[in-house]
Amino acid sequence: MSLIEFAQVLYDSETGTALRESIYAFPIVEGLHLIGLAFSFGLLMFIDLRLLGVFLRTVPAQDLLYSLRPWLLGGFLITIATGILLFIATATKIILLPVFYIKLALIVLAGINAIVFELKWGRNVDVWGTQSVLPTSIKYAGLVSLVLWSAVIITGRLIPYLNYE
Amino acid sequence: MSILELFKAIQTSDLSRFIGSQNHLFCAVAQMFHIAGLILLLASIVLVSLRLLGIGLPNLSVIQLSKATKWLVWSGLGLLTVSGIVIFVPAATNYAPNTFFWSKFILLAIALLLHVTLFRKVTTSENPNPFIAKTTAVLSLSLWFSVAFAGRFIGFF
């Protein structure tokens, strides 16, 4: 099955059709996608800014990392789940947009950055997390996260504008 | 002058003509600043509210968190206002009959009022009453999320 056929199956599915045909379903999913962003990217932004040393620099980084983790991961779950629903409802149109693939690639890169950070630094946060100025490679991880996730949001917001051209 | 006449005047103003003469991606850029502002604002409210509700950041004080996020809240609101004007002006008359447009601004007025009264009081006192602190956090989160939802709804109706 080709990508176009797969997208057509999703688009024609009960879920896809129901989302498009209901007056309220699509905007509600869009709204939840936005609220999910406030928790996921929003809370991660505070951690990234702390790693960079420009936000709450007197607070140990581990306090933010440990305490915000469940909330921001929950936020990512909401963002991803609603994102999948939005994709299903618009599949045949969205797969024709290069900006959609750029967004996906950026998500993968940001995800890799998060996993590398977790494996390399996340396990021994007790050792470095109490320092006020953090090692340079940790700062870079924060900067990369901030830049990549911002780019994800920018490309995401561009989707409807490039769609109607 | 009725609201519709006022909105017509806004839409035919020089500012409106200037925005309208830009590339259509100009509006997309305004939307990006709008979402950036919204994330700064909502994330800050979420961060402080988690602490007020006692479900996050136990080692930090409410005062410390509200001080650290204060400038983010106001820069967020600043970005939202400027980008919101750019989005609104060239299509002002389209918004006049939109129920969600008016709902959004009513909710926004209530959210702002709560923010500069109860929310400010709770986040600047050393030992706020826990019940009042939690109620304020729930009200604040509900109001700001409703503003975001109503805003997101405008474009669909």
Side-chain angles (χ1 to χ4, degrees):
Chain A
M1 181 156 53
S2 75
L3 181 62
I4 293 174
E5 284 167 339
F6 177 62
Q8 192 66 52
V9 170
L10 291 180
Y11 189 85
D12 294 335
S13 68
E14 270 185 47
T15 312
T17 312
L19 278 170
R20 280 191 309 277
E21 286 182 352
S22 158
I23 304 173
Y24 290 103
F26 199 83
I28 287 174
V29 177
E30 284 271 22
L32 288 172
H33 200 58
L34 189 60
I35 302 297
L37 264 186
F39 278 92
S40 55
F41 174 76
L43 294 178
L44 185 59
M45 170 186 77
F46 292 124
I47 292 176
D48 291 338
L49 291 174
R50 172 63 191 91
L51 296 183
L52 282 167
V54 295
F55 181 76
L56 287 172
R57 58 167 76 210
T58 55
V59 174
Q62 59 177 5
D63 285 358
L64 289 181
L65 271 170
Y66 279 144
S67 193
L68 295 181
R69 184 173 287 164
W71 298 104
L72 75 88
L73 289 179
F76 273 110
L77 271 182
I78 296 172
T79 314
I80 292 166
T82 50
I84 291 171
L85 287 175
L86 294 171
F87 174 73
I88 292 173
T90 58
T92 51
K93 292 169 191 163
I94 212 166
I95 59 158
L96 304 175
L97 294 172
V99 70
F100 173 67
Y101 297 97
I102 298 173
K103 175 178 175 174
L104 289 186
L106 288 165
I107 292 174
V108 170
L109 289 176
I112 291 172
N113 180 56
I115 290 167
V116 170
F117 176 82
E118 182 62 29
L119 294 177
K120 204 171 165 204
W121 302 104
R123 305 289 172 81
N124 57 359
V125 63
D126 301 333
V127 179
W128 57 266
T130 47
Q131 304 167 10
S132 61
V133 179
L134 303 174
T136 313
S137 57
I138 291 181
K139 281 190 182 178
Y140 275 123
L143 184 64
V144 168
S145 166
L146 206 55
V147 170
L148 285 175
W149 287 116
S150 303
V152 169
I153 292 174
I154 290 172
T155 47
R157 199 67 194 84
L158 268 175
I159 288 172
Y161 288 89
L162 298 176
N163 206 355
Y164 301 136
E165 230 176 336
Chain B
M1 192 190 250
S2 74
I3 291 283
L4 193 60
E5 281 166 347
L6 173 69
F7 281 19
K8 262 184 194 150
I10 292 171
Q11 199 172 326
T12 50
S13 65
D14 287 344
L15 176 66
S16 176
R17 260 193 284 272
F18 170 75
I19 299 169
S21 66
Q22 304 298 312
N23 186 294
H24 82 288
L25 286 180
F26 187 79
C27 195
V29 173
Q31 290 282 357
M32 274 165 207
F33 282 107
H34 211 62
I35 201 170
L38 189 64
I39 287 172
L40 290 180
L41 173 70
L42 288 184
S44 302
I45 301 291
V46 168
L47 193 76
V48 177
S49 296
L50 288 177
R51 177 64 187 81
L52 284 175
L53 289 165
I55 49 178
L57 305 164
N59 299 337
L60 280 80
S61 76
V62 172
I63 295 182
Q64 194 176 16
L65 279 171
S66 68
K67 265 189 191 158
T69 50
K70 198 176 179 189
W71 69 278
L72 288 170
V73 169
W74 293 106
S75 351
L77 281 169
L79 279 176
L80 283 163
T81 308
V82 175
S83 56
I85 290 170
V86 171
I87 295 164
F88 167 73
V89 167
T93 52
N94 293 352
Y95 293 102
N98 194 308
T99 319
F100 290 102
F101 175 80
W102 297 106
S103 318
K104 170 182 161 170
F105 284 99
I106 292 167
L107 288 163
L108 175 62
I110 304 171
L112 277 174
L113 183 70
L114 180 86
H115 193 79
V116 296
T117 53
L118 205 53
F119 193 86
R120 172 167 294 173
K121 191 157 172 52
V122 162
T123 55
T124 48
S125 34
E126 288 290 344
N127 281 310
N129 175 313
F131 175 74
I132 296 176
K134 283 178 188 176
T135 310
T136 307
V138 170
L139 276 175
S140 179
L141 280 175
S142 316
L143 280 165
W144 286 117
F145 283 173
S146 307
V147 174
F149 254 95
R152 203 66 199 80
F153 267 61
I154 295 172
F156 291 94
F157 291 90

